[in-house]
Amino acid sequence: MFPFILSLISFTLAAGLVFTTVMLRRSREVAPGMIRAYTVLTFCVGIWCLGYALMFHAAAEAEVAFWYRLSTIGWTMLPSMVFYLVWQMHLYLTGGKGRPLLELLFFIPYPYLCVQGLRGNLLATGFEMTSCGPVEIISGMALPGIIFTITIIGSLCSCFVLLLVRFR
């Protein structure tokens, strides 16, 4: 029952994000950069939710590892996409122009993190099957995990600074 509830929550989250993306794309009041960023953010969360929803129904550890690795395509890009979305909001609210080279820097850690996630070296190094579903065995002290954590903290701090600059 527990895996079904988690899968239902994942599906509901992804469906809600797709609905808001469709409504946002129909809007004429939002900047195109923000719409693109939100669409890619929705795509990332959708892949993450799909991987986790199917992971909870897998019977063997190899299947769980496959669905987990598929989900890393989405969740490793989320810190960069959240920062990019806040950057686009900042540009929209201040009337500034985008800087393509600076925006490219937001995504530098993604290929490395995605490859490490697909190899199974990012956070979860294995899985244990329990009565409530699979449990991740996490190694937080591996270099890719530390880089991922730094990316998340850097993204959140940068978003906070951008919002402070805007609303100060």
Side-chain angles (χ1 to χ4, degrees):
M1 183 66 170
F2 185 68
F4 174 74
I5 291 171
L6 291 176
S7 298
L8 188 63
I9 290 170
S10 294
F11 174 77
T12 306
L13 175 69
L17 284 171
V18 168
F19 175 75
T20 57
T21 301
V22 169
M23 297 307 290
L24 188 66
R25 285 193 122 349
R26 296 178 67 200
S27 173
R28 302 269 185 228
E29 300 173 6
V30 181
M34 288 173 41
I35 293 172
R36 280 191 305 272
Y38 191 77
T39 302
V40 174
L41 184 83
T42 300
F43 177 73
C44 291
V45 171
I47 289 177
W48 182 14
C49 289
L50 175 71
Y52 268 73
L54 295 173
M55 184 176 83
F56 290 123
H57 295 288
E61 285 184 42
E63 289 178 65
V64 171
F66 173 78
W67 292 117
Y68 176 80
R69 289 179 179 149
L70 176 77
S71 73
T72 61
I73 295 169
W75 59 262
T76 54
M77 191 172 198
L78 280 178
S80 299
M81 284 313 304
V82 167
F83 183 52
Y84 183 69
L85 179 63
V86 171
W87 173 254
Q88 289 296 321
M89 291 159 94
H90 175 74
L91 291 177
Y92 176 72
L93 293 173
T94 60
K97 290 195 168 236
R99 298 182 185 130
L101 189 57
L102 178 65
E103 293 169 1
L104 184 63
L105 291 176
F106 301 162
F107 301 102
I108 283 180
Y110 174 69
Y112 173 74
L113 294 173
C114 188
V115 166
Q116 293 301 321
L118 290 173
R119 286 184 182 167
N121 299 332
L122 188 58
L123 292 176
T125 57
F127 298 92
E128 182 179 324
M129 301 303 284
T130 65
S131 59
C132 293
V135 175
E136 301 171 9
I137 300 170
I138 295 178
S139 171
M141 294 311 293
L143 180 63
I146 293 170
I147 291 172
F148 182 66
T149 304
I150 290 170
T151 304
I152 291 173
I153 292 170
S155 175
L156 291 174
C157 290
S158 301
C159 291
F160 183 70
V161 167
L162 282 174
L163 291 174
L164 271 178
V165 166
R166 170 64 187 133
F167 293 112
R168 188 172 64 129

